[in-house]
C-alpha cells in the first residue's frame, strides 16, 4: 500500500519514520530538527555511535520518545543539478525500504509501516515534483508488498504533487 498524507511526521504512530538527515547524523533543522526534538537526547546519543552516513545511504536507530518504533536516517543530495542527484535521492528511498524489509524479517512481522518526508526538497533544495517522481519510483521498484508506505507532506504543494502522481 502507498498513501500520501499531510501531517507532522513526528506525530505518526507508524513502525518506522524516515529522517532527512545530514552526513553527521547529529541533528539539524527541518524535519531532522523536529524528529530530534521529539525523540529526545537519547536519539542523539545513539546517532553519535553511528559514525555518520554517506549521501544516499541509510542507518536505523530506535525511536525513543517518538511514537514510532524505529527511525531510519538517510542523507539526501544537496541539489546542484548534477547527474548523481537523482541517483542519490533514489537510493535514499530504496535503501530505507531495504532496511524496513530487514526489520520486518528480523522481527518476523507480517507487515511494517514506514513514513517518508519529502527528502531533500527543503533545505537541500531539490525540485519538489522531480523529487516526488524519484521517491515514488524507488518505492515501487523496491516492490515489498508487506510494507505500507506513507509519503508525508508538510505543505499543500508537496501534497498536491504526490496526489497527482499517485492517482
Ligand atoms: N513533518 C513532516 N515533514 C516535515 C517536517 C515535519 N515535522 N518538517 C519539515 N518537513 C518537510 C519539509 O517541508 C520538506 O518538505 O520535510 C521536507 C524535507 O525538508 P528538510 O527537513 O529541510 O530536509 P532536506 O531538504 O532533506 O535538508 C536536509 O536539513 O534539517 C537539515 O540536518 C538536515 O542538513 C540536513 C538538511
Amino acid at each position: 500500500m502507498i498513501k500520501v498524507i499531510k501531517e507532522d511526521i513526528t506525530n505518526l504512530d507508524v513502525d518506522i519514520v524516515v529522517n532527512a538527515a545530514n552526513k553527521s547524523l547529529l541533528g539539524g533543522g527541518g524535519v531532522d530538527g523536529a524528529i530530534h526534538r521529539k525523540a529526545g537526547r537519547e536519539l542523539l546519543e545513539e546517532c553519535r555511535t553511528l559514525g555518520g552516513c554517506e549521501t544516499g545511504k541509510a542507518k536505523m536507530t530506535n525511536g525513543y520518545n517518538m511514537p514510532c518504533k524505529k527511525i531510519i536516517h538517510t542523507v539526501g543530495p544537496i541539489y546542484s543539478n548534477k547527474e548523481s542527484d537523482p541517483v542519490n535521492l533514489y537510493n535514499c528511498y530504496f535503501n530505507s525500504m531495504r532496511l524496513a524489509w530487514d526489520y520486518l524479517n528480523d522481527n518476523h512481522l507480517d507487515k511494517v509501516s514506514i513514513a517518508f518526508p519529502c527528502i531533500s526538497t527543503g533545505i537541500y533544495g531539490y525540485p519538489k515534483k522531480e523529487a516526488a517522481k524519484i521517491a515514488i519510483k524507488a518505492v515501487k521498484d523496491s516492490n515489498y508488498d508487506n510494507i505500507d508506505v506513507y509519503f508525508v507532506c508538510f505543505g499543500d504543494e508537496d501534497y498536491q504533487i504526490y496526489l497527482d502522481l499517485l492517482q
Side-chain angles (χ1 to χ4, degrees), residues 7-10 19-23 27-35 74 76-77 117-126 128 152-155 158:
E7 185 53 80
D8 178 337
I9 205 166
T10 64
N19 179 23
N22 60 56
K23 286 183 174 181
V31 69
D32 193 7
I35 287 172
T74 191
C118 304
I119 299 167
S120 280
T121 66
I123 294 167
Y124 280 2
Y126 213 107
K128 293 177 181 297
V152 182
C153 300
F154 210 40
D158 296 287

Side-chain angles (χ1 to χ4, degrees), residues 25-76:
L25 295 186
L26 300 180
V31 69
D32 193 7
I35 287 172
H36 274 271
R37 277 193 300 277
K38 186 79 171 264
R41 191 177 40 78
E42 288 178 289
L43 173 60
L44 184 57
E45 285 169 11
E46 183 174 357
C47 285
R48 283 205 176 102
T49 69
L50 298 179
C53 185
E54 284 309 306
T55 300
K57 303 287 187 191
K59 293 189 177 180
M60 186 182 271
T61 67
N62 289 315
Y64 300 105
N65 299 331
M66 286 266 285
C68 62
K69 298 182 182 64
K70 295 290 185 179
I71 301 169
I72 290 176
H73 306 264
T74 191
V75 181

Side-chain angles (χ1 to χ4, degrees), residues 2 86-87 89-91 93-95 97-98 101 116 132-145 147 149 151 166:
I2 297 178
V87 176
L89 185 61
Y90 179 97
N91 287 337
Y93 287 89
F94 198 83
N95 288 326
M97 289 297 288
R98 186 180 295 155
W101 175 255
F116 286 97
K133 286 178 185 171
I134 292 165
I136 292 167
K137 178 169 177 9
V139 165
K140 287 184 173 177
D141 289 352
S142 63
N143 196 23
Y144 293 136
D145 294 340
I147 298 180
V149 177
F151 287 115
L166 286 170

Side-chain angles (χ1 to χ4, degrees), residues 90-131:
Y90 179 97
N91 287 337
C92 284
Y93 287 89
F94 198 83
N95 288 326
S96 296
M97 289 297 288
R98 186 180 295 155
L99 284 183
W101 175 255
D102 292 344
Y103 175 74
L104 177 133
N105 284 315
D106 294 349
N107 292 278
H108 312 294
L109 302 170
D110 295 327
K111 177 83 79 173
V112 161
S113 53
I114 185 170
F116 286 97
C118 304
I119 299 167
S120 280
T121 66
I123 294 167
Y124 280 2
Y126 213 107
K128 293 177 181 297
K129 186 157 188 177
E130 276 318 299

